[in-house]
Amino acid sequence: MLEIKNISKQFGDAFVLKGIDLCCAEGQTLSVLGASGCGKTTLLKSIAGLIPMETGSVLFNGQDLTNVEPEKRGIVYLSQEPSLFPHMSAFDNVAFGLKVRKEDASSIEKKVTEMLQSLGLWEHRTKKPNELSGGQKQRVAFGRALVITPKVVLLDEPFGSLDAGTRSEMQAFYLELAKMYKMTALFITHDLKEALVTGDQFARMEQGQLTLFSSLEAFAEDPTSGVKEEINFWNNLKNDAQ
Amino acid sequence: MMRKYTPWMLMLFFLAPILLITLLAFSGSWVYPSILPSFDSDRWMEFLGSSSLGIKPFLISTVLAVLVSLLSASIGFFTSYLLTGKARNWLLWLCLIPFCTAPVILAANFQYFFILLHLSASTVGVIIAQLFIGVPYTFLLFSTYWNEEQLTMDTAAKTLGATPFTRLLRVHFPAAKSLFTIAVIQLFLFSWFEYGMTQYIGVGQLKTLTVEVFKYTQEGNTTVAALASLLLILPPFIAILVIRKVRIAHA
């Protein structure tokens, strides 16, 4: 289980994160919904160890990772851009984390082949990132992250740069993948539908503070989540049409 | 009509000096009313046969330019990656200073310290002096390379478990290969043609090809000066071909 206790972060005089606590059960996805500038990216980068925190701790299954270097945390951060290495093929991109860990060549070959097949990218294995579509690039980025079996995956609006159709496809693909690899993940988005589709647990972030909801119903009931507004919008549209 | 001949005229304009140098390099005497000079192979053989005339300065220049270009590009690339925040901003500002003064003035400022450190009149001294131009240049060049896209790529590699050294070696260096190659070529040419600083720090002891071409020209030794000039313009030609190849590969 991922446990975050009392994380605070300050930039100058402004507190971007104000004592955030959260828990995410192993194999589950916690969807965090929030508007731009509410501190979502700062929260993920603090958890990954990419930026220092003022206060707080990061624990995974009781192990304190707060002072562990980002390279050794086993927490992978995936951003909106796939950030594939441009000089490497899709195969080499996926193999990167395993090569860094100095795994033997046959084991890398086997794991990467399996991963690319499960991602539906086997026929694109020799292609460079500039030869792949946006959705394919994001799949490679997922494969590159998951092949090293990380403790936690932090997803910072990973489908934000994709068009609506590909985005829906990728959301369905994410669900499959999360189930298949029993992913423990924090999925940050400003898209309500995406939060509802991808999450097992739900939270809302506003002005550096995080509210964790006990269930989907509790999330939907909360007036700030926007679920009710969305339902009302579609109901009104339906009524108007009739 | 004009459009048809313009490329040819331009080519002639650029090639004419090279053709003249080639002609002079193979000439013995060129006396009026001869249209072409007479061919003299003795001085040509003397030039190629004597290590002190052409080949030795060529080798000195090559070693110097290779070391300066590779060291400058590597130091500039690594420091531009490793330095962040205020230190980087300060260094960016400091790196502009060498370009506000001519290399020879910079050399004059260094000379006092170089004499104290026994670096004056030595190859190492000239290399260090040229690095004071080369490193700031590459630092400025590579600072523009580390944009948001590269930094996000660095973050991705970091959380995948790569150490700073691995990230540089396996991610950034191959990704920046084209820019690195162009930087190396530009610095090679800078060092290859450098005269003022080399003369000042080298105190005339370091006989690079450029220094020797100046000497032969001043002596009025036309054939040897032309032969040495032919050797001098060889690397720029190769550099143009390499840059062209890199650009085609990058396109």
Side-chain angles (χ1 to χ4, degrees):
Chain A
M1 181 164 68
L2 173 73
E3 284 175 273
I4 304 301
K5 290 180 181 171
N6 193 33
I7 285 188
S8 294
K9 176 70 192 168
Q10 199 175 352
F11 288 120
D13 294 333
F15 271 94
V16 182
L17 303 177
K18 299 168 187 169
I20 287 181
D21 295 294
L22 67 84
C23 277
C24 180
E26 213 169 341
Q28 300 255 296
T29 296
L30 170 66
S31 277
V32 181
L33 186 70
S36 300
C38 71
K40 298 178 304 224
T41 300
T42 310
L43 173 66
L44 289 197
K45 287 193 170 173
S46 301
I47 297 170
L50 296 167
I51 50 173
M53 310 176 285
E54 254 69 62
T55 62
S57 51
V58 179
L59 295 104
F60 186 78
N61 287 344
Q63 185 196 352
D64 192 353
L65 302 173
T66 316
N67 296 316
V68 177
E69 290 167 6
E71 294 93 325
K72 294 173 184 165
R73 280 194 190 199
I75 297 179
V76 177
Y77 174 81
L78 279 176
S79 64
Q80 191 170 325
E81 293 305 320
S83 301
L84 299 181
F85 309 131
H87 55 286
M88 292 184 198
S89 64
F91 187 97
D92 289 333
N93 262 286
V94 175
F96 180 80
L98 298 171
K99 285 182 182 169
V100 162
R101 282 165 177 72
K102 295 186 170 61
E103 288 203 15
D104 63 274
S106 59
S107 159
I108 293 174
E109 180 85 26
K110 188 172 173 281
K111 285 181 183 177
V112 176
T113 303
E114 280 172 10
M115 180 55 74
L116 286 171
Q117 280 169 345
S118 72
L119 296 170
L121 286 168
W122 180 244
E123 65 270 32
H124 303 293
R125 64 190 178 281
T126 55
K127 287 184 182 170
K128 294 274 173 69
N130 61 358
E131 297 168 290
L132 299 170
S133 68
Q136 287 168 338
K137 280 184 200 169
Q138 206 52 277
R139 279 171 190 248
V140 175
F142 270 95
R144 187 176 65 176
L146 295 176
V147 79
I148 59 168
T149 53
K151 292 185 181 95
V152 182
V153 182
L154 304 173
L155 303 128
D156 191 357
E157 305 205 35
F159 311 135
S161 61
L162 303 175
D163 62 83
T166 317
R167 193 169 179 154
S168 292
E169 257 178 50
M170 288 301 290
Q171 287 163 359
F173 166 75
Y174 173 79
L175 283 179
E176 271 178 46
L177 222 56
K179 204 173 161 188
M180 196 189 302
Y181 290 96
K182 297 184 178 65
M183 225 193 282
T184 307
L186 245 70
F187 194 119
I188 271 179
T189 180
H190 64 257
D191 185 288
L192 176 62
K193 188 188 147 227
E194 190 165 86
L196 292 169
V197 168
T198 56
D200 300 304
Q201 304 171 58
F202 305 91
R204 175 160 176 79
M205 204 165 165
E206 209 169 10
Q207 292 177 340
Q209 286 179 317
L210 189 121
T211 314
L212 206 59
F213 297 94
S214 54
S215 63
L216 174 60
E217 290 71 30
F219 180 62
E221 283 302 313
D222 189 89
T224 61
S225 71
V227 176
K228 277 190 169 173
E229 280 175 36
E230 190 81 5
I231 293 169
N232 288 339
F233 170 80
W234 290 108
N235 283 340
N236 288 341
L237 202 69
K238 198 175 158 187
N239 293 336
D240 289 348
Q242 284 166 356
Chain B
M1 187 75 174
M2 193 66 186
R3 209 171 173 177
K4 192 180 171 186
Y5 291 110
T6 306
W8 293 103
M9 284 168 75
L10 277 172
M11 199 181 280
L12 188 72
F13 179 77
F14 287 113
L15 288 178
I18 298 164
L19 289 172
L20 184 67
I21 289 171
T22 313
L23 204 65
L24 286 170
F26 290 94
S27 70
S29 61
W30 195 356
V31 192
Y32 181 82
S34 306
I35 294 172
L36 289 171
S38 63
F39 178 71
D40 181 4
S41 62
D42 291 347
R43 299 185 77 175
W44 197 56
M45 296 308 284
E46 186 193 347
F47 178 78
L48 290 177
S50 161
S51 63
S52 62
L53 275 177
I55 302 304
K56 197 177 172 190
F58 181 82
L59 290 176
I60 291 171
S61 285
T62 307
V63 170
L64 196 74
V66 166
L67 285 173
V68 168
S69 56
L70 287 177
L71 280 172
S72 301
S74 306
I75 296 168
F77 186 69
F78 293 135
T79 42
S80 68
Y81 171 69
L82 295 171
L83 282 182
T84 51
K86 277 186 181 171
R88 183 196 183 90
N89 292 338
W90 268 105
L91 198 62
L92 276 172
W93 189 82
L94 285 173
C95 281
L96 294 171
I97 293 173
F99 303 103
C100 298
T101 52
V104 72
I105 296 169
L106 205 64
N109 289 321
F110 291 154
Q111 187 64 305
Y112 172 75
F113 302 101
F114 275 47
I115 291 167
L116 284 181
L117 295 166
H118 303 287
L119 289 169
S120 190
S122 72
T123 312
V124 177
V126 173
I127 291 172
I128 292 172
Q130 290 191 2
L131 286 179
F132 273 95
I133 302 273
V135 173
Y137 170 72
T138 48
F139 185 79
L140 290 169
L141 183 78
F142 288 123
S143 291
T144 58
Y145 172 77
W146 301 109
N147 53 24
E148 200 56 45
E149 194 187 337
Q150 303 303 326
L151 296 175
T152 315
M153 212 158 75
D154 190 64
T155 301
K158 191 188 277 185
T159 61
L160 286 166
T163 59
F165 182 71
T166 313
R167 298 202 294 274
L168 264 177
L169 208 69
R170 291 197 179 174
V171 178
H172 301 303
F173 188 69
K177 204 167 65 184
S178 302
L179 189 63
F180 193 87
T181 309
I182 288 172
V184 167
I185 290 169
Q186 287 175 337
L187 287 160
F188 181 92
L189 294 178
F190 153 72
S191 177
W192 182 260
F193 288 121
E194 217 293 314
Y195 177 76
M197 190 179 245
T198 310
Q199 267 292 68
Y200 209 101
I201 301 291
V203 204
Q205 301 296 308
L206 194 70
K207 296 183 190 314
T208 62
L209 197 59
T210 305
V211 168
E212 290 300 90
V213 167
F214 268 86
K215 195 185 87 183
Y216 299 143
T217 313
Q218 279 165 353
E219 286 170 357
N221 200 343
T222 320
T223 311
V224 177
L227 274 167
S229 300
L230 272 185
L231 278 181
L232 196 68
I233 59 175
L234 193 68
F237 268 99
I238 298 170
I240 288 166
L241 291 176
V242 174
I243 288 176
R244 210 177 130 81
K245 207 176 169 188
V246 167
R247 284 205 173 146
I248 289 167
H250 199 64

